[in-house]
Each structure stands twice: as C-alpha cells, then as structure tokens.
Amino acid sequence: MKKINIVIFVLAVLFILSACGAKTIDISTLSKRLVEEGEFSEKLSEVPLRITEKRYDLSDKEIEEGVAYSGTNAVVDEVAIFKAKDTDSVKEKVMKHIEAQEEIYKSYAPDEVSKLNDCIVEVKGDYVILCVSENPSSAEKIIEEYVK
C-alpha cells in the first residue's frame, strides 16, 4: 500500500511541475502591447490570419492561433505571434520569411535590411514570436516582461 501511495505522490508532483511550466500567452494582448509601446517607423495595422498564413506559408495544421501586424511595403516593421503545434516548423518558416524580406529589401530599401538582421525571433513554450522594429531591445523588454 505504501508503494502505491508513493507512486501516486510522485505522479502528482510530476503533473504539477509540468503544468507550471506550460504558460499560456494572450497573443492578442502581447501583440497589441508591442505595437503600441514598441518603436516602429510607421503605424502597424493588423493583418487577417488567412493572409498571415499565406505570407509565412503556414497552415492550421501548424498553428492553433496567430496574430500579425505590419506596416506598408515601404518598411519591414512587423509583429507576429503564433501558438504553434510544431514550434520548430513555425520558427523555420518565420526565418524563411525574414530571409525572403532581406532579399527583396536589399535592392528596394537597403536601409530596412538592418532591422531584419536585428529582429527578434523567439520560441517561448508553444509560441513563436517575431518582432521587426526600430529598437529590438525595447521590444525584447516587453516580451520578457510579459512572458516571464
């Protein structure tokens, strides 16, 4: 009987510890905070999810939810946050998007490329966060403050 109680206790502790590590991020709130408090060349506008999925070559098989904001085609500034079913795959596609943007902007608007080189692409639990801005360190502070 004692062995069964010990096994149940250990399983309960493991369950509690694993639940504590799984943080849920309100992607709508975090993205709005980044857009409002981050430093961007121009005002960012929300992009519909179906367009965002095409832009990043994502499908609903890879993400549970997502939100994105971007500026006009004159700048590379953008914010995108995805709750991913496969964070490695989503991060890889976000990185491919950044590489494609670099290729386009290096001849179109070369001053914008430095923002892409310094952009934030982070995985936090099940979430992939992208922020391309004038000041990535201020965006990083917002992200860290929000997801700590």
Side-chain angles (χ1 to χ4, degrees), residues 25 84 87-88 90-91 120-129:
I25 298 173
T87 55
D88 291 335
V90 173
K91 182 178 179 184
I120 297 168
V121 179
E122 291 188 7
V123 174
K124 300 283 188 183
D126 293 337
Y127 300 86
V128 178
I129 302 169

Side-chain angles (χ1 to χ4, degrees), residues 48-104:
L49 184 56
R50 65 181 174 14
I51 293 172
T52 299
E53 288 176 335
K54 286 181 184 178
R55 187 172 186 195
Y56 292 91
D57 191 28
L58 295 169
S59 71
D60 58 359
K61 293 177 183 164
E62 295 169 292
I63 62 170
E64 290 182 32
E65 61 180 317
V67 63
Y69 289 80
S70 70
T72 65
N73 289 336
V75 298
V76 295
D77 299 19
E78 63 184 302
V79 170
I81 306 173
F82 303 103
K83 182 172 185 186
K85 295 176 183 175
D86 179 356
T87 55
D88 291 335
S89 172
V90 173
K91 182 178 179 184
E92 181 180 320
K93 289 189 176 184
V94 167
M95 295 305 295
K96 284 182 181 178
H97 167 74
I98 295 300
E99 290 169 11
Q101 291 288 82
E102 286 176 355
E103 194 62 34
I104 292 167

